[in-house]
Amino acid sequence: ELLRRWSSPTAQATDSAVTSSGTGAETTAPVLATLTTLQCWRVLGPARVYDYMRATLKAAVEAMSKRWKTCTLVPLSMCASMALVQLPILQGVGSPGSSSSDDACAVQDWLYEQSIEAPIKCIQKTLYVRISAHIYNIVKDYEILAEAVLRLQTENRKQGVKEIVS
């Protein structure tokens, strides 16, 4: 949301800046994007950006943990802009202490099919989602993820994740 308030039509126009030369196509987008990014950081200020990232991560972790009745791998106080939140029990993909990397891939693939890009990690045989927060994220992004996992959990009770993903 912070970035959305800052963005302007001029900043958005840098996405398609392509020029052509005698040797082929060259893009100026990386240069323009870098300049725009630096301008954004100057306008917003690093402290404000970091505060927003931490506040967004905290709100996201709290919302997901509450809905799923789980916790983070490490205390939130140790996290800057990323955290690992334990997934709820999903039948058919192992349970805490018996999950595998294949289970993590199955859940991640299912989320991708729901248009959600979120890495699922198997750590100490338990499934976690790695979330990260930046100025382009809002808490609603994580609420959508939380709801999708709850949908998967409901469907999972009927047939199992591996059958749902297949």
Side-chain angles (χ1 to χ4, degrees), residues 36-99:
T36 302
T37 300
L38 292 172
Q39 181 185 12
C40 176
W41 277 89
R42 271 194 303 274
V43 169
L44 297 176
R48 186 173 172 204
V49 172
Y50 294 139
D51 287 347
Y52 179 83
M53 290 163 54
R54 282 189 288 272
T56 303
L57 183 70
K58 182 177 187 286
V61 165
E62 288 173 354
M64 294 166 71
S65 296
K66 183 178 178 181
R67 278 198 169 118
W68 297 343
K69 297 175 179 56
T70 63
C71 59
T72 56
L73 181 64
V74 299
L76 193 54
S77 61
M78 296 176 66
C79 304
S81 63
M82 289 193 274
L84 287 158
V85 182
Q86 184 178 338
L87 292 179
I89 294 173
L90 301 169
Q91 296 173 351
V93 291
S95 57
S98 67
S99 296

